Amino acid sequence: MDKKVAVVTGAGAGLGRMFARVLAADGWDLALLGRTRETLEETGCGLVVPCDISDEASVAAAFREVTGHYGRLDLLVNNAGVPGPTGELHTVPPAEWRATFDTNITGTFLCTQQAFEWMAANGGGRIINNGSIAGHSPRAGVAAYAASKAAVASLTVSTSLDGRPYGITATELDIGNARTALLGSFTGSEPMFDATEAARLLVAVASMP
């Protein structure tokens, strides 16, 4: 049998790079999505597909390339995200609020939509969303990020419900304080754990029946 194929967004750094490398070590074929070709190439474990996930045409082209190259798609990991603006609510610039939602929820939706369409026509698959504890237990001063991740949580449930007739499952991972450059902007001196453990969790979920 051909190896299973996973798409990982935001695969050029942080948890996305870690997710991709651990999936590859577990035997998956990978498609690495992200804005910058050079950082995706540095991840070094799959098909490199530069993509702006907030742009509908870019996402559609990326998924055509992936399915055309591999001929299958078994797993989508919606990992790409931005921290967004920090500060009290009345100081948040609306343009930065919109930009946060463009990546964190619209980008997740667009990638989910493309994967869902392929999976529905080809026997099912799995979608894993990198959510956040902030989606249901926010810190002060991160309203845009927290609200966008709450929306991801809702989208995950909707994806799971709509996917049932097609054998498509959807799971959200609320990982917490894994040590990444993104998280450092939120947590300050809070304890953090090795991001490898988060990647092992993702592989375990991806391998479930």
Side-chain angles (χ1 to χ4, degrees), residues 127-154:
I127 296 169
I128 300 177
N129 294 331
N130 187 0
S132 175
I133 293 171
H136 52 82
S137 184
R139 293 178 170 86
V142 292
Y145 180 79
S148 70
K149 289 300 187 177
V152 169
S154 182

Side-chain angles (χ1 to χ4, degrees), residues 22-48:
V22 175
L23 282 166
D26 195 54
W28 293 73
D29 279 330
L30 271 294
L32 311 176
L33 271 60
R35 292 178 184 268
T36 308
R37 177 178 292 276
E38 290 75 16
T39 59
L40 295 173
E41 289 174 346
E42 289 169 7
T43 297
C45 59
L47 176 68
V48 169

Side-chain angles (χ1 to χ4, degrees), residues 82-172:
V82 295
T86 57
E88 294 178 345
L89 194 63
H90 67 291
T91 70
V92 174
E96 293 185 30
W97 174 278
R98 286 190 290 269
T100 305
F101 272 71
D102 282 347
T103 295
N104 291 2
I105 183 59
T106 300
T108 297
F109 162 73
L110 291 173
C111 292
T112 296
Q113 189 176 55
Q114 289 292 322
F116 194 106
E117 183 175 9
W118 171 269
M119 292 173 179
N122 291 276
R126 186 179 297 275
I127 296 169
I128 300 177
N129 294 331
N130 187 0
S132 175
I133 293 171
H136 52 82
S137 184
R139 293 178 170 86
V142 292
Y145 180 79
S148 70
K149 289 300 187 177
V152 169
S154 182
L155 177 63
T156 304
V157 176
S158 293
T159 304
S160 181
L161 293 171
D162 289 354
R164 284 178 179 175
Y166 304 105
I168 299 169
T169 63
T171 306
E172 177 176 307

Side-chain angles (χ1 to χ4, degrees), residues 158-197:
S158 293
T159 304
S160 181
L161 293 171
D162 289 354
R164 284 178 179 175
Y166 304 105
I168 299 169
T169 63
T171 306
E172 177 176 307
L173 302 183
D174 291 345
I175 290 168
N177 285 7
R179 189 175 294 107
T180 67
L182 170 64
L183 194 63
S185 65
F186 288 164
T187 60
S189 61
E190 289 181 20
M192 292 185 281
F193 64 90
D194 189 334
T196 305
E197 299 302 324

